[in-house]
Amino acid sequence: ADMKAAPLLRAWLHRLRGNGVVFHMRHRWTGWDDAGGLCFDTPEGERTLRVVSDHPLPPAGEGINATTSSVHAVVLALGGGSWPQLGSNAAWVSVLQQRKVEVAPLQPSNCGFEVAWSEHFKNKFSGQPLKAVVAGFTDAEGVAHRRQGDCVVTEYGLEGGLIYALSAPLRDTIAAQGYVELSVDLTPGRDLARVSAEVAYPRGSRSLSSHLQSRAGLNALQTGLLRECLSAADFSDPAILARAIKALPVRLIAPRPMAGAISTAGGVKFEMLDQNLMLKNLPGIFCAGEMLDWEAPTGGYLLTACFASGKSVGDGVLRYLKY
């Protein structure tokens, strides 16, 4: 009925409340006390819940209320570390590590990458889209990666769907060798022979930029990229220029910080979990969503996999509780 997130969220909350779910807002989990109780900061002060398995289960649908002091199962779905302004600040990492839960280091995923643009290029082209190009590189293991799509030139580098799709191997290759030479084909619909012929065609009194636009179909941003990444001598050499149009080397030097990423890689290692997604060394404590050690290639896949892990952990809780 609606494609926007807010109405969808409201509909979910309405259905959940109708099914007996009780929400406790402004409750912040701070970890465990010395006796193993879950500690919360709440508007009414500190509160502790014990995870127990030695007394009868409550009726299905009965929520935690103000007098409840114990629970039978806890699902931690605390997100990654890429949205600290909205609460996904990865504060849970150290809390779980203190309980001997191994956590793979969180890293930015579905993120932009930094390029050392000149001030002139940043000022002139920042925010402009680079459409229908092909980007490729070879990672540190010798595996070739290649994708077609759109991206955006930013003041710090490159961002957008094409870059997000390559972000995991780009990030890992930069970690291994310090940089990535991303090869960008600015005219994927034209082969090198055709581009070479168009570039070498006599341009008469036209500027080289006008010549490239009319003969090779390059816009101002694409020509600006060529000037940015090539020396003046190479830009003036038709053979070198043609090869660069088909494989322009753009050096990526770092992924954007995690707080600016769409999602994060890393998290609770699966070896720490049983088949129900329950922590092996903390009976009754389950984990789901982005806080697990996996990585999605896009935000859409991220949402889908988080929903799937939520369904899986829900089934696991029911099996554990023998409902």
Side-chain angles (χ1 to χ4, degrees):
D2 205 304
M3 290 295 291
K4 294 184 178 180
L8 179 60
L9 179 58
R10 286 195 296 269
W12 274 338
L13 293 174
H14 179 73
R15 177 181 292 185
L16 290 169
R17 289 190 174 101
N19 288 339
V21 176
V22 179
F23 290 90
H24 297 270
M25 307 303 185
R26 298 172 62 197
H27 283 50
R28 183 180 298 277
W29 178 53
T30 58
W32 286 272
D33 64 13
D34 293 339
L38 293 155
C39 301
F40 295 86
D41 282 338
T42 80
E44 289 74 38
E46 294 185 1
R47 183 180 179 193
T48 302
L49 293 174
R50 294 184 302 118
V51 183
V52 299
S53 58
D54 58 354
H55 64 74
L57 293 170
E62 182 176 303
I64 300 170
N65 56 47
T67 61
T68 304
S69 61
S70 61
V71 295
H72 290 79
V74 174
V75 176
L76 301 178
L78 303 173
S82 61
W83 292 91
Q85 70 274 27
L86 297 179
S88 291
N89 57 12
W92 56 266
V93 172
S94 60
V95 176
L96 290 185
Q97 287 175 330
Q98 290 168 11
R99 303 290 290 191
K100 309 301 182 186
V101 176
E102 293 184 21
V103 180
L106 298 187
Q107 303 180 78
S109 180
N110 292 300
C111 59
F113 285 81
E114 297 181 1
V115 181
W117 302 130
S118 66
E119 287 299 318
H120 170 77
F121 184 81
K122 283 193 291 187
N123 292 336
K124 189 169 183 179
F125 296 108
S126 178
Q128 294 191 24
L130 191 60
K131 290 184 170 292
V133 297
V134 171
F137 71 101
T138 301
D139 65 24
E141 303 296 323
V143 177
H145 302 267
R146 185 176 174 85
R147 288 293 185 100
Q148 182 165 0
D150 303 340
C151 60
V152 177
V153 170
T154 68
E155 63 179 359
Y156 53 77
L158 292 174
E159 184 97 26
L162 174 61
I163 303 301
Y164 300 155
L166 296 168
S167 65
L170 284 173
R171 180 197 63 228
D172 295 344
T173 303
I174 290 174
Q177 63 186 34
Y179 68 94
V180 167
E181 209 74 77
L182 188 68
S183 176
V184 180
D185 182 351
L186 298 174
T187 59
R190 309 182 189 206
D191 61 21
L192 178 58
R194 180 181 173 186
V195 171
S196 297
E198 299 288 10
V199 171
Y201 190 87
R203 61 186 174 95
S205 61
R206 290 182 301 178
S207 69
L208 185 51
S209 295
S210 298
H211 178 66
L212 292 175
Q213 182 176 10
S214 64
R215 301 300 306 186
L218 300 185
N219 60 30
L221 171 59
Q222 293 170 320
T223 301
L225 267 174
L226 289 165
R227 291 186 183 276
E228 179 74 4
C229 298
L230 299 177
S231 68
D234 287 345
F235 187 79
S236 300
D237 185 313
I240 295 176
L241 181 57
R243 290 195 297 270
I245 290 171
K246 294 300 296 176
L248 181 65
V250 180
R251 178 166 290 205
L252 310 183
I253 56 177
R256 291 295 290 163
M258 193 159 58
I262 290 177
S263 59
T264 48
V268 175
K269 294 184 177 181
F270 280 95
E271 306 91 89
M272 299 285 101
L273 304 163
D274 68 8
Q275 70 275 13
N276 293 323
L277 297 182
M278 184 177 74
L279 290 167
K280 294 176 181 177
N281 63 338
L282 295 171
I285 307 294
F286 298 75
C287 296
E290 196 180 348
M291 66 183 295
L292 301 178
D293 183 17
W294 59 278
E295 182 170 8
T298 68
Y301 285 118
L302 175 76
L303 288 170
T304 301
C306 283
F307 297 154
S309 75
K311 172 67 166 64
S312 181
V313 80
D315 291 339
V317 169
L318 293 179
R319 286 192 294 268
Y320 169 71
L321 297 178
K322 297 181 173 61
Y323 256 115

